[in-house]
Amino acid sequence: MIILGIESSCDDTAAAIVKNGKEILSNIRASQDEFHREYYGVVPEIAARKHLQCILPLIEKSIKKAHVTEKEIDHIAVTTHPGLLGSLLIGVIAAKTLAYTWGKGLVAVNHLLAHMYSVHMTNCITYPYIGLLVSGGHTLLLHARSVLDIRIIGTTADDACGEAFDKVAKHLGLGYPGGPVIDKLAGKGDAHAVDYPFSSMKDKHGKYNVSYSGLKTAVIYQTDKFKKKKNPTKADIVASFQKKAIDTLYIKVKKAVEEYSINTVCIAGGVAANSYLRKIFSEDKGIQSFFPPLGLCIDNGAMVAGFAYHKIKHGDIEKEKSRLNPFARIIKSENLI
Ligand code: KG4
Ligand code: ZN
């Protein structure tokens, strides 16, 4: 089964052709980083306009690169939620139009489930597992029971983890997006130079919940208060910040692993590219950790097409194409579906 996957939920326009849920025939992405850089964050209107500009040529390119014809495509899958509404609308309109004109099946995809599925594209993983989805917009701890049954057990009370990386980088004048720059610079710093507070929430707010606004504020305004080294460098500051931001996630995952008696852990989303995060999880012999390859951590069309394959197998395809709609938020709070 050949599926065209379209992703436009935030600031990356992406399209991919995937065969039978795993075989990536093409996976193309147009990053908008350069257009949002001067604002240190995604500007929704710019994002939507850029999607509009490049989505059709990008889809065309993904089909050409996969060496398939439009006739060979069985279904069209598109991210419908959650995300920026203006951005989602562009992908949804493109997918609907193509599905109508080419006479293809149309599949609505939850962006978060697609991110989690990205880990499966290059690994053989059995359910259940504890999932960690960390990106610029989301920080979720998940209990994954099957490909279509994934429950949220923890989240952030305020900023997402990736967002905290972006804001700290902005404050230190390191550019945008902040995650990759901090990751690189942290390698040259001393992670014990500043003892920032953990980003954990107290149990009454949900024992698996985190909060990044306190850590972010501590880095921006209180480095002097927490410093252990006399004159911490920028590299020391970001290494210390990164350690606390990631250690917090590690502690929460370990708690879930213990309480759910599950030792398989899958980590997805932009922050899953972080080298310190990969190191501490991989070095823990008490758990088996899986990650997507770096190219599938960021937003991409392959995870959308891959996940859609399983929805189709469960008969979950739009009966009436006209009814397909984007939503800014997830539809049910407990279960990601
Ligand atoms: O999944 P993604 O591409 O888009 C969203 O759905 O948000 O994630 C982007 C986020 C940004 O906040 C970026 O700073 C962060 O992922 N990120 C990283 C790294 N690479 C990207 N954070 C930490 N370390 C990295 N290496
Ligand atoms: Zn994403």
Side-chain angles (χ1 to χ4, degrees):
M1 186 193 299
I2 293 182
I3 301 175
L4 162 64
I6 299 172
E7 158 64 41
S8 71
S9 63
C10 188
D11 61 336
D12 290 308
T13 322
I17 301 286
V18 177
K19 191 174 174 184
N20 297 333
K22 280 203 169 192
E23 198 185 328
I24 301 173
L25 303 183
S26 69
N27 191 19
I28 296 180
R29 178 177 151 263
S31 165
Q32 299 181 1
D33 285 352
E34 62 175 301
F35 306 109
H36 300 287
R37 189 159 285 133
E38 66 178 291
Y39 307 100
Y40 290 94
V42 178
V43 181
E45 183 172 337
I46 295 177
R49 289 183 188 278
K50 290 290 162 195
H51 285 309
L52 187 60
Q53 194 180 327
C54 67
I55 197 153
L56 291 175
L58 196 102
I59 292 171
E60 196 178 20
K61 218 164 146 189
S62 75
I63 296 172
K64 271 202 184 122
K65 197 163 177 216
H67 299 292
V68 295
T69 61
E70 72 194 41
K71 282 201 181 70
E72 290 170 287
I73 296 170
D74 297 295
H75 298 276
I76 298 175
V78 62
T79 300
T80 49
H81 65 288
L84 300 171
L85 197 60
S87 291
L88 290 163
L89 271 164
I90 308 296
V92 168
I93 292 166
K96 261 188 180 185
T97 309
L98 295 176
Y100 265 114
T101 51
W102 293 347
K104 309 290 178 187
L106 189 60
V107 186
V109 169
N110 176 322
H111 182 71
L112 307 177
L113 291 176
H115 263 305
M116 274 331 295
Y117 182 75
S118 69
V119 193
H120 294 254
M121 297 197 78
T122 50
N123 295 292
C124 267
I125 305 157
T126 48
Y127 290 92
Y129 62 77
I130 298 299
L132 177 64
L133 175 46
V134 262
S135 69
H138 303 278
T139 304
L140 297 171
L141 195 63
L142 306 162
H143 177 207
R145 294 145 51 118
S146 73
V147 68
L148 296 177
D149 184 0
I150 298 188
R151 314 270 167 113
I152 298 173
I153 58 173
T155 187
T156 175
D158 36 63
D159 294 351
C161 182
E163 193 183 350
F165 273 83
D166 294 336
K167 286 182 178 161
V168 165
K170 175 183 177 184
H171 169 71
L172 296 172
L174 297 174
Y176 173 84
V181 203
I182 289 184
D183 192 350
K184 201 163 164 214
L185 185 59
K188 298 181 189 142
D190 172 5
H192 298 279
V194 191
D195 190 17
Y196 291 119
F198 273 103
S199 326
S200 216
M201 293 290 284
K202 294 277 178 282
D203 272 10
K204 66 175 176 165
H205 297 289
K207 60 184 164 186
Y208 297 120
N209 284 356
V210 295
S211 157
Y212 279 104
S213 79
L215 175 59
K216 179 191 69 186
T217 308
V219 176
I220 296 175
Y221 300 109
Q222 299 171 316
T223 290
D224 269 353
K225 182 174 155 190
F226 295 111
K227 70 182 181 190
K228 294 283 172 226
K229 193 172 164 181
K230 206 166 171 216
N231 290 311
T233 61
K234 265 189 197 179
D236 293 334
I237 291 172
V238 295
S240 303
F241 156 74
Q242 177 178 267
K243 180 170 167 46
K244 279 289 154 48
I246 303 296
D247 283 354
T248 301
L249 298 173
Y250 177 69
I251 289 165
K252 297 289 177 182
V253 168
K254 288 292 279 184
K255 199 183 189 92
V257 159
E258 201 183 304
E259 290 182 8
Y260 282 79
S261 300
I262 293 172
N263 76 343
T264 305
V265 176
C266 293
I267 306 172
V271 185
N274 185 269
S275 47
Y276 173 65
L277 178 146
R278 286 184 175 241
K279 184 168 177 283
I280 56 166
F281 278 95
S282 306
E283 283 177 357
D284 186 333
K285 300 297 169 222
I287 53 177
Q288 208 184 1
S289 307
F290 296 97
F291 301 90
L294 293 183
L296 295 183
C297 287
I298 40 179
D299 289 349
N300 64 87
M303 66 185 189
V304 175
F307 177 69
Y309 172 76
H310 294 275
K311 281 196 82 172
I312 296 163
K313 287 198 119 191
H314 282 80
D316 197 352
I317 173 165
E318 292 309 306
K319 306 273 178 298
E320 275 182 67
K321 292 185 186 113
S322 63
R323 294 178 77 94
L324 188 91
N325 263 315
F327 301 95
R329 304 190 178 281
I330 47 178
I331 299 160
K332 288 184 204 165
S333 60
E334 277 290 284
N335 194 330
L336 275 180
I337 300 160

